[in-house]
Amino acid sequence: HRCQRSSATGKLFRVSELMEIEEGFCHFGSQEFVASLSEGSICIKANAQSCGECIQVAETCGWCADETFLTVGESKSARCDDLESLKKRGCSLTKIENPRGGIRIDQNKTVTNRKKDVAEKLTPEQITQIQPQKLSLTLRSGEPQTFELKFKRAEDYPIDLYYLMDLSFSMKDDLENVKNLGTDLMREMQGITSDFRIGFGSFVEKTVMPYISTTPARLINPCTGNQNCTSPFSYKNVLKLTDKGDEFNRLVSQQQISGNLDSPEGGFDAIMQVAVCENQIGWRNVTRLLVFSTDAGFHFAGDGKLGGIVLPNDGRCHLENNMYTMSHYYDYPSIAHLVQKLSDHNIQTIFAVTEEFQPVYKELKNLIPKSAVGTLSSNSSNVIKLIIDAYNSLSSEVILENSRLPEGVSITYKSICKNGVEGTGENGRKCSNISIGDEVHLHILYQRGGGSMSQKAACKAEMREKGVLTSALCWKCSKDEVRTEDLDANCRKDNGTDICSNNGDCVCGTCECKKRENPAEIYSGKYCECDNFNCDRSNNKLCGGHGRCDCRKCICDANYTGSACDCSLETATCLAKNGQICNGRGTCECGACKCTNPKFQGPTCEICPTCPGVCPEHKDCVQCRAFEAGEKKDTCERDCSYFQLMKVKDRDKLPQPADQSYPLSHCKERDANDCWFYYTYAIRNDTKEVYVVETLECPAGPDIIPIVAGVVAGIVLIGLALLLIWKLLMIIHDRREFAKFEKEKMNAKWDTGENPIYKSAVTTVVNPKYEGK
């Protein structure tokens, strides 16, 4: 409410300050004013307490810096009003703070017009495709600022292409077709650019279970059957980007297929390293293409838990000797993390995958800007055509992207594309079907809204120039007053958008860090960017329990190192029984032995499941030096001079375990003549000693006569035995046949009688008178 007393200047009072309002009069204490019940301007209603707050209300608001402007009892917020009202209320025009926004072009090189067949060749830094290159905006709330960008796709623009290939066993046929890719692709790309470089990298999988088999034999050759494969690895940078196609062919021809256990591969680990290791890969500031070739799916963030890997991928370069060394330590990156890194490094991805996995990678393409998917034939024979088609598809579209905007700022795009086609809204930021030499124009409107967001207080700078900062008019800082951008700028690290790193409040231009529920956990630093509880952990302990967390980095105790202080520098745990570090077959890293020879295992590299043992290992050399015999007889002096040889009379003279304090092996071996020889092998004070019995133990020769007599006697006895057995069998057989005959004879006696019912047809009559005469 504005209250006026006779001809007095109108005053603005808060309702809480007035005693009462009735019949058009305001009663303030004993004073009486005429009341105007109008609502007032938006500037007055904002109740701004400083110039910075005032000018961010609306573009029509101004701040009166005149010391005599306020009358007794008027609120400080009465200085903020629309410009016309300030003039009417008596504020001099020169005292009104009313800064305006504007645009300043800082760098405005014209776009490059060049032809590929011109003799003069420009470096990538000399080629300009967008104009202007740099400008500065000063924004005033509610006041839009518009500028125009021009883009022209330059002819013969340099291209860097990195071919990242899956070398798991299923890609064996594909590797053969990629071996000549370098020179062939160089030849094809000459139709697009004369400045082309190509590189090559390969990947398989994390080198831990269950992704690969960690048995010693499978670590050497992960393939089954008679296939000869190389040891598994996570990612290997085979060839840095180069313009020599024949070098590409030579190095790729030397590559071997490897293998793993599961179907998905560790390609995301490889993509992350290719993106962030700019120096090792050799990326230039030109068109960057990454061709990702595989016939399988992919692991992503969270899958590392299967192998006991829980630390999130840190998005940093970990290439040593062109090998990714932290695959066992960090999890796979997430898709969002990859999108961020590929975008930060301006890398366009081409997924060259088999038809079976097309749906998977097309979904991935929708999540990764500036990417394309091509169908890879079963043996990669169409890889060059695929790359050319995908590149043309990527290059034909121009998309304008913006980084994160400050709070309250909005952008509106309008594009004028090829043939005058206009686009607005989401289509206003892109143009399609852009050919080499085509120009497109994009109109960009920046605008910030009103409200309580921060804004650069230009009026403060103007007051400083006028020399009034020391006067009573200057706004005094208080924790109770609203913060302004001129003070908030001191609370932003590296001109970022986060005030006090989102871990504190900006009070009078200084960060006051937040308190934590746990009093031991503290935010610190000028911008509250540090803390003592967000360091790497090991065994669920901050800094592994062997250090302290200082500004999100572990300060390790003595004898410990590593990002989580989980790497011990002590070597006592690496000492083998012979007193040597890792038995002389490895290095001590973080208190554990890393065996240099993969066939040795165990805590101190003493176990070798595939080794023949100490005795068989030195048998041939002992035999050739002690007895001048054996397989190494001809190369004895060259191959077997690594130990000292001492001969003893008999086995009792050999060193015994109780006689010495160093490891000793007793050996008994047999030569080609079946003679035994005995020796001991020991290492004393780094000297290898062999004691051997000088005489061989050979078996006595056989007595020929007893052997022959025995053989003859044996043959005779065996013959007699066989004859006796045959005779016995014949006797038994004859007796059985005779008994059978007797039995049948007895059974045939009833045939001699007559049949009682038989009646003969012949009747014989005897003449009684005939007496035989």
Side-chain angles (χ1 to χ4, degrees):
H1 295 78
R2 187 174 299 281
C3 300
Q4 202 167 18
R5 176 178 168 184
S6 62
S7 61
T9 303
K11 288 187 177 182
L12 180 68
F13 293 99
R14 295 177 182 173
V15 175
S16 59
E17 296 175 338
L18 301 179
M19 300 297 292
E20 60 178 312
I21 302 175
E22 61 178 1
E23 295 182 1
F25 289 90
C26 301
H27 300 279
F28 183 77
S30 60
Q31 301 185 49
E32 187 177 90
F33 298 86
V34 178
S36 171
L37 300 180
S38 64
E39 289 296 324
S41 71
I42 187 175
C43 309
I44 294 173
K45 289 190 289 185
N47 194 27
Q49 298 296 309
S50 68
C51 172
E53 292 180 45
C54 180
I55 64 173
Q56 71 180 5
V57 175
E59 62 172 325
T60 59
C61 297
W63 178 267
C64 184
D66 189 353
E67 298 180 11
T68 62
F69 179 68
L70 297 179
T71 58
V72 178
E74 274 193 304
S75 170
K76 187 178 182 179
S77 62
R79 292 181 180 273
C80 183
D81 205 343
D82 58 82
L83 301 179
E84 291 301 320
S85 297
L86 288 176
K87 294 177 185 177
K88 290 179 181 179
R89 292 170 57 195
C91 184
S92 171
L93 187 62
T94 59
K95 295 291 185 176
I96 297 176
E97 299 291 347
N98 182 34
R100 313 307 302 174
I103 299 176
R104 184 182 75 248
I105 297 178
D106 301 318
Q107 188 175 348
N108 192 31
K109 291 172 59 178
T110 57
V111 292
T112 303
N113 293 304
R114 76 166 186 166
K115 301 295 182 181
K116 189 172 63 173
D117 53 356
V118 176
E120 180 189 4
K121 296 299 179 184
L122 302 179
T123 64
E125 292 74 19
Q126 294 174 313
I127 301 174
T128 303
Q129 295 189 113
I130 192 167
Q131 179 187 2
Q133 295 79 45
K134 184 178 180 181
L135 53 83
S136 301
L137 290 177
T138 302
L139 297 179
R140 173 77 187 269
S141 293
E143 182 184 17
Q145 299 293 337
T146 304
F147 63 92
E148 179 182 325
L149 282 181
K150 178 169 68 174
F151 175 84
K152 182 176 182 180
R153 185 178 169 191
E155 184 178 353
D156 198 24
Y157 194 70
I159 298 174
D160 283 353
L161 185 146
Y162 191 85
Y163 196 90
L164 182 59
M165 185 174 182
D166 176 7
L167 281 190
S168 58
F169 187 76
S170 58
M171 294 286 284
K172 182 179 180 181
D173 295 339
D174 304 75
L175 180 59
E176 294 299 321
N177 286 285
V178 175
K179 287 182 178 179
N180 296 320
L181 177 66
T183 52
D184 294 345
L185 190 57
M186 283 278 185
R187 183 170 56 253
E188 291 294 330
M189 292 299 286
Q190 285 176 356
I192 299 175
T193 176
S194 62
D195 189 357
F196 176 71
R197 299 199 309 172
I198 187 171
F200 184 81
S202 56
F203 66 91
V204 181
E205 187 54 275
K206 289 186 181 296
T207 53
V208 296
M209 282 288 286
Y211 314 108
I212 67 165
S213 174
T214 55
T215 58
R218 287 287 179 260
L219 284 175
I220 298 173
N221 183 4
C223 300
T224 58
N226 298 324
Q227 301 292 337
N228 185 23
C229 298
T230 189
S231 300
F233 57 91
S234 177
Y235 162 65
K236 176 166 50 177
N237 178 30
V238 177
L239 176 64
K240 189 176 181 178
L241 288 163
T242 178
D243 57 0
K244 298 178 177 60
D246 54 350
E247 180 70 4
F248 180 97
N249 293 349
R250 184 183 68 82
L251 288 175
V252 175
S253 296
Q254 298 173 1
Q255 302 307 302
Q256 284 183 285
I257 289 294
S258 185
N260 61 315
L261 295 179
D262 59 345
S263 176
E265 316 294 1
F268 277 15
D269 273 345
I271 293 177
M272 178 61 75
Q273 293 303 299
V274 171
V276 300
C277 297
E278 286 195 335
N279 293 332
Q280 291 88 336
I281 303 299
W283 290 118
R284 299 177 296 172
N285 190 22
V286 298
T287 298
R288 299 176 175 181
L289 299 180
L290 170 61
V291 179
F292 182 83
S293 175
T294 184
D295 64 348
F298 48 82
H299 285 294
F300 52 91
D303 288 356
K305 292 180 180 179
L306 295 173
I309 303 172
V310 296
L311 284 178
N313 194 286
D314 65 348
R316 296 179 182 176
C317 181
H318 296 288
L319 287 186
E320 294 182 12
N321 297 323
N322 287 320
M323 297 290 289
Y324 179 39
T325 59
M326 302 299 284
S327 68
H328 65 289
Y329 192 77
Y330 289 116
D331 192 7
Y332 303 95
S334 65
I335 295 176
H337 200 180
L338 276 185
V339 170
Q340 176 196 344
K341 292 300 180 182
L342 291 172
S343 177
D344 290 346
H345 297 273
N346 197 27
I347 295 174
Q348 303 177 68
T349 310
I350 299 173
F351 295 106
V353 297
T354 53
E355 187 173 1
E356 178 185 359
F357 286 92
Q358 283 287 305
V360 175
Y361 283 91
K362 284 183 178 179
E363 289 296 326
L364 184 61
K365 169 189 173 296
N366 296 332
L367 301 174
I368 300 181
K370 298 182 293 185
S371 64
V373 177
T375 302
L376 192 68
S377 63
S378 58
N379 58 3
S380 295
S381 58
N382 67 330
V383 65
I384 293 180
K385 182 178 184 302
L386 187 153
I387 292 173
I388 299 296
D389 292 346
Y391 169 73
N392 290 331
S393 171
L394 286 171
S395 302
S396 64
E397 187 172 54
V398 176
I399 303 175
L400 187 64
E401 295 180 349
N402 57 270
S403 58
R404 180 182 175 186
L405 296 173
E407 184 182 356
V409 175
S410 62
I411 299 181
T412 304
Y413 297 95
K414 178 183 177 182
S415 61
I416 302 176
C417 303
K418 192 174 181 179
N419 300 325
V421 176
E422 294 187 2
T424 57
E426 200 55 33
N427 291 325
R429 65 167 70 224
K430 62 183 179 180
C431 289
S432 302
N433 300 320
I434 305 303
S435 304
I436 293 175
D438 288 346
E439 276 191 10
V440 298
H441 298 263
L442 298 107
H443 296 271
I444 300 146
L445 184 145
Y446 270 84
Q447 185 170 8
R448 77 174 288 131
S452 60
M453 65 280 188
S454 303
Q455 176 175 324
K456 183 177 180 180
C459 63
K460 181 69 74 172
E462 293 178 13
M463 291 178 69
R464 185 181 292 111
E465 292 174 1
K466 296 174 184 177
V468 297
L469 279 180
T470 56
S471 80
L473 287 178
C474 292
W475 176 61
K476 304 298 181 181
C477 177
S478 170
K479 292 182 181 181
D480 297 328
E481 293 186 301
V482 180
R483 67 170 183 257
T484 54
E485 177 64 18
D486 44 350
L487 295 177
D488 289 347
N490 297 324
C491 298
R492 292 191 178 96
K493 184 180 180 181
D494 300 329
N495 295 323
T497 58
D498 295 334
I499 294 178
C500 298
S501 305
N502 289 329
N503 296 324
D505 299 316
C506 187
V507 180
C508 302
T510 303
C511 286
E512 287 191 359
C513 300
K514 296 177 182 178
K515 304 295 183 183
R516 302 269 299 177
E517 292 184 6
N518 184 351
E521 297 179 352
I522 300 172
Y523 288 112
S524 59
K526 180 179 178 181
Y527 304 101
C528 300
E529 75 278 13
C530 296
D531 61 60
N532 64 348
F533 54 87
N534 269 327
C535 289
D536 288 344
R537 294 176 177 266
S538 178
N539 294 327
N540 204 27
K541 293 181 180 179
L542 193 66
C543 297
H546 302 297
R548 59 185 175 85
C549 183
D550 185 5
C551 200
R552 301 187 178 183
K553 290 186 178 179
C554 287
I555 308 298
C556 301
D557 298 338
N559 293 327
Y560 284 93
T561 186
S563 61
C565 298
D566 53 353
C567 181
S568 173
L569 300 179
E570 292 287 345
T571 59
T573 55
C574 296
L575 288 176
K577 294 178 182 179
N578 59 8
Q580 291 183 301
I581 297 291
C582 300
N583 203 29
R585 299 189 181 106
T587 57
C588 188
E589 298 181 7
C590 301
C593 283
K594 185 176 181 181
C595 304
T596 52
N597 191 328
K599 70 180 182 179
F600 290 98
Q601 303 175 14
T604 55
C605 302
E606 292 180 292
I607 303 172
C608 182
T610 60
C611 293
V614 174
C615 295
E617 181 180 358
H618 304 289
K619 168 190 171 182
D620 293 334
C621 281
V622 173
Q623 188 179 6
C624 80
R625 288 189 59 183
F627 308 106
E628 296 182 357
E631 295 181 2
K632 292 190 177 181
K633 177 181 178 181
D634 298 332
T635 60
C636 192
E637 185 176 349
R638 183 190 70 191
D639 298 339
C640 302
S641 59
Y642 60 88
F643 59 82
Q644 293 181 358
L645 180 71
M646 282 76 71
K647 294 184 178 181
V648 296
K649 294 288 185 181
D650 52 48
R651 292 165 59 184
D652 295 337
K653 302 297 183 181
L654 291 174
Q656 301 300 317
D659 298 338
Q660 41 73 47
S661 58
Y662 48 88
L664 179 72
S665 298
H666 276 261
C667 302
K668 176 184 177 183
E669 296 294 333
R670 184 161 53 186
D671 63 11
N673 298 320
D674 286 338
C675 293
W676 295 94
F677 59 95
Y678 299 85
Y679 66 94
T680 62
Y681 180 86
I683 301 176
R684 179 168 58 175
N685 298 329
D686 295 330
T687 301
K688 299 177 177 65
E689 296 179 349
V690 173
Y691 286 83
V692 61
V693 179
E694 62 184 10
T695 57
L696 296 169
E697 280 190 9
C698 298
D703 193 349
I704 300 299
I705 295 175
I707 293 175
V708 172
V711 171
V712 172
I715 293 173
V716 172
L717 291 174
I718 292 173
L720 289 174
L722 291 175
L723 287 173
L724 290 174
I725 292 172
W726 177 79
K727 185 60 177 176
L728 178 62
L729 292 175
M730 290 304 295
I731 291 172
I732 294 172
H733 178 266
D734 290 344
R735 288 183 176 181
R736 285 181 177 176
E737 289 296 322
F738 181 75
K740 181 178 179 183
F741 170 74
E742 288 293 328
K743 184 178 180 181
E744 289 178 350
K745 184 179 178 182
M746 292 294 294
N747 292 336
K749 287 182 178 181
W750 63 272
D751 290 334
T752 59
E754 293 186 276
N755 189 343
I757 64 172
Y758 175 73
K759 187 73 174 179
S760 176
V762 179
T763 303
T764 302
V765 177
V766 179
N767 188 351
K769 293 296 184 176
Y770 180 73
E771 296 179 352
K773 294 180 181 181

